[in-house]
Amino acid sequence: MYSKDFILVGSIVGLHGLRGYLKVKSFLENPKDIFKFDEYFINKLSFSSILLKFNKKSVFICELVGINSIEEAKKFVNNDIFIYKSSLPKIDKDETYLNDLISFNVELESGLYLGELVKFYDFGAGPIIGVKQGHKEKMLPFSDNFIINIDQDLRVITLSSNIKTLIN
Amino acid sequence: MTRSVWKGPFVDGYLIKKADVVRESGRNDVIKTWSRRSTIMPQFVGLTFGVHNGKKFIPVTVTEAMVGHKFGEFSPTRTFYGHAADKKVKGK
């Protein structure tokens, strides 16, 4: 629905009460950062802000400016929240947003092509990348110990040969 | 019921042997294992294991905070759809 200039930051997962409040789930590293942006895009509409009312377990109860009734709010349930990619905080020259690495080619330092990076995972034991070649997806570690080089120009990630055991 | 303390933590013997070999070699090779039931021991810290989830091996890099947990806790067996919208990585 949205082009590459946008990035997904959250999702509206339900309604709360009768005043048009919405349950918002944040996908950001620090979930509260979702309220720091200047413009949001939900269901093809633009909003200047999302007002936080209170927290409820893992979701935020929020109000969208101009949405005051449950009937209006219903239209936004199960929709994703996007922002302009350019509104993400500036990063150092040697840093990259993980999202920008998707579709990079992954290879071993020996030159063996492993596939295309399709997804990032984190199960609590270090970052993991999902690398797809054909129909098969492999999961490989993505910590400093195993990253040899990330070439932004050639769009290639080189990993250490120590992960060979996971490939076979 | 919790496990009796006098028994000590359970670890499959072959896993300790494999970890010793990798640690002594000085290389950071990934150790493949199907032993989800094994407890993470202090001597595993810094090593990376590939823990089988029934379908594939999930890389598990052991840190100090993980000691005492089981390997299976870090290798989910069901499909997970996550997001990493604003996470960063240092380029090399």
Side-chain angles (χ1 to χ4, degrees), chain A residues 7-8 27-29 91 94-98 119 123 125 128 139 141 144-147 149 162 165 168, chain B residues 27-30 32 48 56-61 66 74 76 81 83 85-92:
Chain A
I7 190 163
L8 175 70
F27 300 145
L28 301 184
E29 199 168 16
I91 49 175
D94 62 341
E95 281 186 326
T96 319
Y97 280 112
L98 293 185
K119 216 169 190 181
F123 303 127
I128 297 168
M139 287 183 172
D144 285 346
N145 293 343
F146 298 103
I147 303 172
N149 185 37
N162 292 343
T165 46
N168 306 320
Chain B
R27 293 170 50 124
N28 199 9
D29 286 341
V30 178
K32 263 185 180 180
T48 302
K56 49 192 165 189
F57 293 92
I58 311 288
V60 173
T61 304
M66 291 156 67
F74 303 99
Y81 298 100
H83 303 272
D86 69 336
K87 287 194 178 173
K88 302 172 217 88
V89 65
K90 287 250 181 211
K92 297 230 171 174

Side-chain angles (χ1 to χ4, degrees), chain A residues 18-128:
Chain A
L18 302 171
R19 292 182 196 167
Y21 291 175
L22 296 159
K23 288 181 186 169
V24 171
K25 193 165 178 60
S26 171
F27 300 145
L28 301 184
E29 199 168 16
N30 178 13
K32 279 205 167 175
D33 283 352
I34 196 170
F35 304 106
K36 288 184 179 170
F37 303 106
D38 299 327
E39 197 171 11
Y40 302 88
F41 298 90
I42 310 165
N43 200 8
K44 294 176 185 170
L45 294 172
S46 164
F47 294 90
S48 59
S49 67
I50 297 176
L51 304 172
L52 172 65
K53 291 296 174 184
F54 53 91
N55 294 7
K56 195 178 177 192
K57 292 183 181 171
S58 64
V59 295
F60 298 113
I61 307 299
C62 305
E63 183 186 355
L64 286 177
V65 181
I67 307 296
N68 303 313
S69 71
I70 191 167
E71 284 77 23
E72 288 175 283
K74 263 183 190 169
K75 295 174 199 163
F76 298 99
V77 175
N78 293 330
N79 277 292
D80 292 326
I81 304 169
F82 292 85
I83 59 162
Y84 278 124
K85 219 173 191 178
S86 54
S87 58
L88 283 171
K90 294 278 176 285
I91 49 175
D92 294 338
K93 273 187 178 174
D94 62 341
E95 281 186 326
T96 319
Y97 280 112
L98 293 185
N99 199 59
D100 293 333
L101 299 179
I102 286 180
S103 82
F104 271 43
N105 289 321
V106 183
E107 61 182 33
L108 282 186
E109 54 185 329
S110 59
L112 178 69
Y113 176 71
L114 300 177
E116 186 186 331
L117 198 163
V118 287
K119 216 169 190 181
F120 286 93
Y121 301 92
D122 195 344
F123 303 127
I128 297 168

Side-chain angles (χ1 to χ4, degrees), chain B residues 2-50:
Chain B
T2 50
R3 183 178 168 86
S4 300
V5 176
W6 64 266
K7 291 181 185 173
F10 173 81
V11 197
D12 273 314
Y14 77 88
L15 201 55
I16 294 180
K17 282 182 198 162
K18 274 186 173 181
D20 287 342
V21 170
V22 169
R23 216 158 356 94
E24 280 163 22
S25 73
R27 293 170 50 124
N28 199 9
D29 286 341
V30 178
I31 303 165
K32 263 185 180 180
T33 180
W34 284 260
S35 178
R36 301 169 57 84
R37 59 186 185 167
S38 288
T39 308
I40 297 174
M41 305 294 283
Q43 61 262 42
F44 295 162
V45 172
L47 300 178
T48 302
F49 293 81

